[in-house]
Amino acid sequence: MKGELFMRVSKMGMKNVKLSNLDEMYPVQDILLQTNQVKQYGSGVYAYDNVPLKVQDNIEEIIKRNFNKADFIEVQMPLLQQDELWKRSGRYDKYIEEGVMMLSETDKGIYCLAPTAEEAITTFVENRITSHKQLPVGFYQIGPKFRNEIRNRGYLLRGREFLMFDLYTFDKDEIGMMESYKKIRETYFKAFNEIGLDIVAVAADNGSMGGKNSEEIMAISTIGEDTILFDEETKQGLNVEVLEKDNAEEYLKENYGINDVKKLKEKKACELGHIFALGTKYTESMNINFIDNENNSKPFYMGCYGIGVSRVLGLIYENNAIKENDKVVGVSLPLSVTPYYLYIISNDKKKESAEELYSKFNDKDIEVIIDDVKGSIGEKIRNAKVLGIPYIAIMGNNTEDGYVEIERTRDGAKKTVKVDELLDLVEKMKKEKIMRKIVILLSAMLFMVACEKGNEEVKEAKVVVSVYDENGKMITGVPVKMYNEKDYKIFEKDNLTSPTAIIQTNKSGIATFTLPQEEWFAAQSQRFLTFVVQEGGGPDNYQIWSAGKTVEAGKVVKIEIRLTQFPN
């Protein structure tokens, strides 16, 4: 047998903790602290245990993969930076005055812990990118940042030390800068969709960063510190100040396709990132230039793009809380970021059977946890929910030999299956996760091929939906329903609601939806659509399998719906 690749609870140092007086605003992060999954070392400074660390690693991996595909280059800037670097850009005094920057005075000079990296990356490009022929180019990194925040609230959402993705682009002119801006903005939506968070881009002020355009990347959430205006139909977010404009209605219609101001709703939102079109602010102040096609020296046009990775981690936990009797008791992590698919528990009589099951998963390289410490079945189920594992495998008095009860933690759905069926089911989960990555890459390659053939002006988007049965075989003749944003809200309350469109799968088990530009993307370049396979209808005796996706004008999107043991 292989060496163990996965996890035993006995090795985690985890103890049964009775949760008490959870933070009303941030209950799940409070659970992480009470159970020592996150350890606080001071205001805004935290250490992570195995599970939250691996969740953060998975978030990083999704971000990196999406931006690598978009042709950006990963690098690493120093965390410790000399004060001269910041004085060169003219921002040193401002950051010191605001008390944001953390300093260390040594006999070798004054150093700061980097709160951001515009100065470092601009110097990095100096004498490296010298000609217009090398442009455009973009560099990104993921690493710690340090800011002396006045208010450390929301635990991981606002810390003094935090993990950040930051990307910097360099273009020859403003047109190129805005093309890069649009490309990166689209990549944000793709990455967050894969992570499992719906984001909204909200027009914002550039503040101390300077530059021309800027948008905050926010997620609608009850724990959000900000209030924005949100249009359900267009999925557009706006600052509340927009209604103070003299020509507010005309402005909203012209810029955002919003025809009725009364439809705007105030929503709580959590900021996860910020994107800036900086122009030449930093390259001019630091005198960093390139040679254009007429042999003239000119400053680069820069863009700056950030994602608070530890903020995303905190929101993933809060957004996936498990409630029982209106009380938060744990979390069920999305499959896209969970480090472990299954939590195996048993009573003392079936301990050996549980170990055999754990070994089988280990042999298949499928990440699971086994609870091998003393305790009741009830205590172990509570531990699984506290750790956030999406599925629990229970071997207790009520399960026959060779069988296991599986529970989905997010909604408590249960089913008893044979051990071999469980192995197949979890293996399919992992394969689906891998396949989603391949489908994303395939879609990008297909679009690139289309562009090479001169099809840059694509007038329609296509969504290709594949439907599979429990055994992974594609099913023919299955009606696939498509709902736009507005219709799906109605469908959630009444599953007999007529779809926006419906197509049966063909002989290959595929349903293809064609979305004309003028009909679907006249007002905005993206639409969030939900595709549903349904058995039965009405208040009882129905099952629904669904998948939602952000669809962009001129793009081909592939979606898989699998009629597995557990419907949505």
Side-chain angles (χ1 to χ4, degrees):
M1 192 179 85
K2 301 177 185 178
E4 287 184 1
L5 301 174
F6 308 119
M7 183 56 66
R8 292 177 175 274
V9 172
S10 59
K11 293 182 178 180
M12 298 176 71
M14 185 174 174
K15 298 177 181 178
N16 290 322
V17 176
K18 186 175 181 181
L19 303 175
S20 61
N21 301 319
L22 290 179
D23 190 313
E24 291 184 7
M25 190 71 176
Y26 311 105
V28 182
Q29 291 180 89
D30 196 2
I31 287 175
L32 295 180
L33 286 165
Q34 289 193 30
T35 57
N36 282 326
Q37 293 183 72
V38 170
K39 176 75 173 177
Q40 186 168 2
Y41 280 76
S43 180
V45 182
Y46 301 97
Y48 299 163
D49 200 359
N50 179 266
V51 174
L53 176 63
K54 283 181 173 290
V55 175
Q56 183 171 267
D57 287 345
N58 288 339
I59 293 168
E60 282 188 60
E61 191 272 334
I62 291 171
I63 292 171
K64 285 184 178 183
R65 179 161 30 81
N66 277 275
F67 281 92
N68 287 344
K69 274 206 312 287
D71 203 25
F72 296 105
I73 302 165
E74 184 178 8
V75 294
Q76 188 68 61
M77 297 297 105
L79 299 178
L80 198 62
Q81 300 176 1
Q82 284 184 302
D83 60 344
E84 289 300 325
L85 185 65
W86 286 77
K87 288 176 180 177
R88 187 178 173 189
S89 72
R91 285 206 299 175
Y92 182 79
D93 290 339
K94 183 175 180 59
Y95 269 69
I96 295 299
E97 182 182 332
E98 293 176 350
V100 173
M101 189 182 290
M102 296 184 184
L103 296 178
S104 176
E105 295 189 23
T106 74
D107 59 347
K108 307 298 182 187
I110 299 175
Y111 291 84
C112 67
L113 289 172
T116 183
E118 283 76 19
E119 284 77 4
I121 197 72
T122 307
T123 305
F124 180 80
V125 166
E126 186 177 21
N127 300 323
R128 179 184 300 269
I129 307 298
T130 57
S131 168
H132 68 96
K133 295 178 182 179
Q134 296 172 275
L135 301 175
V137 68
F139 301 99
Y140 78 85
Q141 63 174 350
I142 296 181
K145 294 288 188 298
F146 304 88
R147 290 179 191 169
N148 190 24
E149 293 279 4
I150 297 172
R151 296 179 305 152
N152 294 112
R153 298 194 309 177
Y155 305 103
L156 306 182
L157 298 176
R158 188 184 291 275
R160 283 193 166 93
E161 178 185 354
F162 53 94
L163 195 69
M164 186 173 177
F165 161 90
D166 46 328
L167 185 154
Y168 305 90
T169 57
F170 296 84
D171 286 275
K172 63 182 179 181
D173 53 30
E174 186 171 349
I175 293 173
M177 176 183 69
M178 293 313 298
E179 286 176 352
S180 294
Y181 186 95
K182 181 181 177 182
K183 177 182 178 181
I184 292 166
R185 189 180 188 274
E186 290 172 352
T187 307
Y188 265 69
F189 278 89
K190 292 175 183 176
F192 275 103
N193 183 55
E194 188 178 344
I195 289 169
L197 290 173
D198 291 330
I199 59 169
V200 180
V202 181
D205 178 60
N206 279 34
S208 63
M209 295 297 295
K212 298 179 178 296
N213 295 73
S214 125
E215 289 176 292
E216 291 173 327
I217 303 302
M218 293 190 163
I220 304 297
S221 175
T222 54
I223 70 165
E225 292 184 328
D226 298 294
T227 301
I228 65 169
L229 296 172
F230 185 67
D231 183 68
E232 291 282 356
E233 188 172 340
T234 64
K235 301 297 181 185
Q236 178 64 52
L238 301 160
N239 278 319
V240 291
E241 291 82 4
V242 73
L243 293 181
E244 298 174 7
K245 289 178 172 284
D246 294 333
N247 59 341
E249 291 192 19
E250 182 182 339
Y251 172 82
L252 291 173
K253 184 176 181 179
E254 182 178 335
N255 290 279
Y256 300 103
I258 297 172
N259 297 312
D260 188 355
V261 176
K262 295 177 182 177
K263 290 185 177 181
L264 293 173
K265 307 279 184 164
E266 285 195 356
K267 297 274 189 179
K268 289 289 185 182
C270 181
E271 183 185 353
L272 299 177
H274 212 137
I275 59 179
F276 300 88
L278 296 172
T280 58
K281 172 183 170 68
Y282 294 94
T283 50
E284 281 187 348
S285 65
M286 299 179 74
N287 193 29
I288 295 176
N289 304 312
F290 71 98
I291 303 300
D292 69 7
N293 59 350
E294 295 180 350
N295 209 31
N296 296 318
S297 179
K298 289 187 175 180
F300 296 96
Y301 278 78
M302 278 184 68
C304 163
Y305 308 85
I307 296 173
V309 178
S310 43
R311 275 196 171 204
V312 175
L313 175 66
L315 191 62
I316 283 283
Y317 270 98
E318 296 294 352
N319 273 14
N320 291 279
I322 301 171
K323 286 188 176 182
E324 294 176 2
N325 300 319
D326 293 325
K327 182 181 178 182
V328 175
V329 297
V331 61
S332 182
L333 292 165
L335 286 174
S336 58
V337 296
T338 185
Y340 302 103
Y341 296 92
L342 190 71
Y343 190 96
I344 302 170
I345 65 178
S346 70
N347 58 19
D348 289 339
K349 292 179 181 178
K350 297 194 174 177
K351 185 176 180 180
E352 188 175 331
S353 297
E355 288 287 349
E356 288 176 4
L357 179 60
Y358 178 75
S359 294
K360 288 179 180 179
F361 279 115
N362 195 45
D363 288 340
K364 287 178 174 285
D365 287 354
I366 298 172
E367 297 86 344
V368 299
I369 294 181
I370 185 168
D371 193 329
D372 57 343
V373 299
K374 289 274 186 187
S376 68
I377 292 288
E379 287 173 335
K380 294 183 178 187
I381 289 173
R382 286 196 293 274
N383 286 344
K385 293 177 180 178
V386 161
L387 286 171
I389 313 306
Y391 290 90
I392 308 173
I394 305 167
M395 292 180 164
N397 293 329
N398 298 326
T399 53
E400 298 177 17
D401 290 342
Y403 285 81
V404 62
E405 182 182 68
I406 181 169
E407 176 181 341
R408 187 169 59 190
T409 55
R410 69 178 166 90
D411 59 6
K414 297 177 181 178
K415 192 174 184 70
T416 300
V417 297
K418 291 180 179 178
V419 167
D420 288 343
E421 288 179 27
L422 175 62
L423 286 164
D424 290 342
L425 178 63
V426 180
E427 191 170 22
K428 284 176 185 175
M429 286 181 197
K430 182 167 184 175
K431 285 180 179 177
E432 283 182 35
K433 190 173 179 178
I434 295 169
M435 281 302 298
R436 277 195 291 271
K437 298 176 185 179
I438 295 172
V439 167
I440 291 168
L441 180 60
L442 222 63
S443 297
M445 291 171 63
L446 287 170
F447 185 67
M448 289 172 66
V449 170
C451 289
E452 287 173 5
K453 292 180 179 179
N455 294 330
E456 294 88 345
E457 298 299 323
V458 180
K459 294 297 182 184
E460 59 188 23
K462 285 190 177 182
V463 182
V464 180
V465 183
S466 303
V467 181
Y468 297 82
D469 66 13
E470 291 182 358
N471 298 315
K473 295 181 180 179
M474 300 183 81
I475 314 173
T476 64
V478 174
V480 180
K481 299 191 285 187
M482 179 180 75
Y483 292 89
N484 62 24
E485 301 92 337
K486 184 178 179 181
D487 289 344
Y488 189 69
K489 291 288 184 184
I490 302 171
F491 173 80
E492 285 180 312
K493 298 175 182 177
D494 178 8
N495 61 64
L496 295 176
T497 301
S498 298
T500 314
I502 184 168
I503 295 177
Q504 283 194 341
T505 56
N506 60 20
K507 293 180 179 179
S508 300
I510 293 172
T512 303
F513 295 81
T514 301
L515 311 177
Q517 168 100 9
E518 59 274 13
E519 181 181 346
W520 286 91
F521 305 101
Q524 70 254 39
S525 62
Q526 296 178 330
R527 300 293 298 270
F528 189 86
L529 303 175
T530 305
F531 300 84
V532 174
V533 174
Q534 181 175 347
E535 290 183 3
D540 301 304
N541 299 320
Y542 70 91
Q543 290 185 327
I544 291 170
W545 295 266
S546 64
K549 200 80 170 177
T550 299
V551 181
E552 299 177 43
K555 298 293 180 70
V556 176
V557 174
K558 291 190 176 184
I559 291 177
E560 292 183 0
I561 297 178
R562 294 180 179 267
L563 311 188
T564 58
Q565 304 271 5
F566 289 90
N568 291 309

